[in-house]
Amino acid sequence: MYPLLFRTVLARMDPETAHHAAMVVIRLAGVAPFAWIARALTRPAPSSQVSALGLTFDSPFGVAAGFDKDVRAVRGLHALGFGHIEVGTITAIPQEGNPRPRLFRLIPDRAVINRMGFNNRGATEAARRLQRLRKRRQGAVIGVNIGKSRVVDVENATEDYVHSATLLAPLADYLVVNVSSPNTPGLRGLQAVETLRPLLVAVRDAAGRTPLLVKIAPDLPDDEVEAVARLAVEIGLSGIIATNTTISRDDLRTDAAVVESAGAGGLSGAPLAARALEVLRIVRAVVPEEFVVISVGGVETAADVRERLRAGATLVQGYTAFLYRGPLWGRQINRGLVADR
C-alpha cells in the first residue's frame, strides 16, 4: 500500500514536512510493544550477520547519515530491520541549516536534491541522547557522523571536529568524519590530502579506541579517491564511506526546468549508483582486504546491496530509497539478501 500512499499523499507534500511526519511513525515503531512486533517482522536472518570494526552487524545493510540527524529514531530504525544506523551529520555548534525549501524530489529519477546544511541541535545534545540510548541498549549498532560547524572558518575546522569527536566518540560504535557534503561552504576543500591528513590525525587521536572512518565525495577524480584511500590506511583509520551526494546533474530523466528550479545541493538516489559503485571498486583496489569500506549511493534493492558486497563493500547503506520504498524497505532488503543466496 505504500506506493499508493506515496502517489496520493506524500508526493503532494513538501518533502521535508513529509520526512518529519514519517519520523513520527518510525519513532513509534521503536516503542514497546510496537518495537517487538516490528522487529519480529523485519529481523534479518542469522546468516546475514557481518563482523566488522570489532562489531557484529545483524545485516550488512544500514541507514546512511542524514536520515536521523538528531539521534531521534535509532530505536525505530533498528526495529524496522536495519543492521546499523548512522546518525548525523552532527556539528559541534547547533545550527538551523540552510533556508527552506531545501529538499526536493526528482520522482522520475527516484532521486532527491538536498541542501539541508547540517541542520542539527549540536554535539552536546546528541551526546545526551546517545547516553540515554546506551542506558537502554537494544542491539542497534550506532555510527556517528560529524561535520564542520558553518560559523567556524575552514582554517579552524580541526578544532571544531575534535570538539565533536571528544564528546561523541565514547558513545559511538564508530565515528565518521564528513568532509564531503556540498552544502557547507569550503567543506569539500578539506578532502585534499595535504589538508585532510592533519585533520584526520587529530580526530583519530581524539576518538581513542572508537573506530574512525572518513566519508568522501563521488565527485573526486579517481586519482584523488586513491590518494585519500591510501592516506586513510597509512594513518590507521578503520575505513572509508564511499560516497556522499553528488553535485552532478548528468543524465537525469526529470524535466530540466524542474531540476533547475531545485537549485544547488547534493543529488542522491538512483542516478548516483554507477559512480558510487565505481568509487567503491577504486577504493577496494588500493586498500587491504581487512580495511572496512562502506558503500552508499543509489542503493534500492537487495540486488543492489548484493552487487556492492560482491564488488568489495564490507557494509552497505541507503537513505533516499526509503522515501520511495517506505518503512518496510529494510525488511525487503533483508528478505531479498536471503533469497539471493
Side-chain angles (χ1 to χ4, degrees):
M1 292 183 62
Y2 182 80
L4 177 63
L5 176 65
F6 180 81
R7 289 195 306 271
T8 59
V9 179
L10 297 178
R12 301 170 187 266
M13 296 175 63
D14 168 74
E16 191 169 349
T17 301
H19 177 77
H20 290 315
M23 287 291 278
V24 173
V25 176
I26 293 167
R27 291 174 67 185
L28 185 63
V31 177
F34 304 113
W36 306 329
I37 298 169
R39 190 65 179 173
L41 292 171
T42 65
R43 181 181 291 111
S47 59
S48 296
Q49 285 189 349
V50 174
S51 295
L53 303 173
L55 306 163
T56 299
F57 295 77
D58 291 340
S59 164
F61 186 60
V63 180
F67 195 93
D68 184 8
K69 295 178 180 294
D70 280 314
V71 200
R72 292 180 174 272
V74 168
R75 296 172 70 197
L77 290 167
H78 179 249
L80 291 174
F82 294 96
H84 67 282
I85 299 95
E86 189 172 310
V87 299
T89 296
I90 296 165
T91 55
I93 301 170
Q95 54 189 45
E96 293 295 323
N98 292 317
R100 295 178 67 167
R102 52 193 181 182
L103 184 64
F104 307 88
R105 302 184 193 92
L106 306 186
I107 294 177
D109 291 289
R110 299 182 75 80
V112 163
I113 291 173
N114 94 82
R115 53 172 174 272
M116 302 299 289
F118 291 168
N119 54 307
N120 74 107
R121 298 197 176 189
T124 299
E125 178 61 24
R128 290 194 190 101
R129 291 181 178 170
L130 286 165
Q131 186 66 56
R132 288 197 293 269
L133 278 172
R134 292 306 184 198
K135 289 180 179 178
R136 51 188 177 186
R137 183 71 179 271
Q138 295 184 352
V141 173
I142 306 172
V144 177
N145 185 299
I146 59 174
K148 185 186 78 67
S149 304
R150 178 180 287 267
V151 298
V152 173
D153 294 336
V154 172
E155 54 266 29
N156 298 319
T158 297
E159 293 85 350
D160 189 62
Y161 277 98
V162 166
H163 179 77
S164 295
T166 302
L167 284 173
L168 298 170
L171 302 168
D173 288 315
Y174 68 86
L175 191 72
V176 181
V177 173
N178 184 351
V179 288
S180 50
S181 170
N183 300 318
T184 296
L187 187 71
R188 284 193 166 191
L190 294 173
Q191 293 178 107
V193 169
E194 61 271 16
T195 54
L196 188 58
R197 179 188 297 272
L199 169 63
L200 291 179
V201 168
V203 177
R204 179 203 65 194
D205 293 345
R209 296 183 179 180
T210 302
L212 182 65
L213 298 86
V214 61
K215 187 168 186 175
I216 62 173
D219 307 307
L220 285 175
D222 292 356
D223 60 336
E224 293 186 25
V225 171
E226 292 182 1
V228 173
R230 290 193 173 99
L231 171 66
V233 174
E234 178 191 337
I235 64 175
L237 267 59
S238 297
I240 283 182
I241 300 183
T243 65
N244 212 317
T245 58
T246 181
I247 57 174
S248 172
R249 301 291 188 268
D250 293 341
D251 302 322
L252 296 178
R253 299 176 182 176
T254 302
D255 185 90
V258 174
V259 177
E260 185 176 358
S261 68
L267 174 74
S268 61
L272 185 54
R275 179 56 180 168
L277 180 59
E278 187 176 32
V279 173
L280 164 63
R281 287 173 170 151
I282 292 168
V283 171
R284 179 48 74 194
V286 299
V287 299
E289 183 177 353
E290 66 276 9
F291 191 77
V292 170
V293 183
I294 302 179
S295 183
V296 56
V299 174
E300 185 165 344
T301 67
D304 295 333
V305 175
R306 180 63 62 196
E307 181 180 37
R308 303 298 173 93
L309 295 173
R310 287 172 176 161
T314 315
L315 300 164
V316 181
Q317 294 178 342
Y319 172 177
T320 301
F322 203 119
L323 282 67
Y324 296 103
R325 291 273 178 167
L328 293 181
W329 183 38
R331 179 181 185 274
Q332 294 165 10
I333 296 289
N334 291 332
R335 297 297 184 273
L337 288 175
V338 174
D340 284 348
R341 293 180 177 178

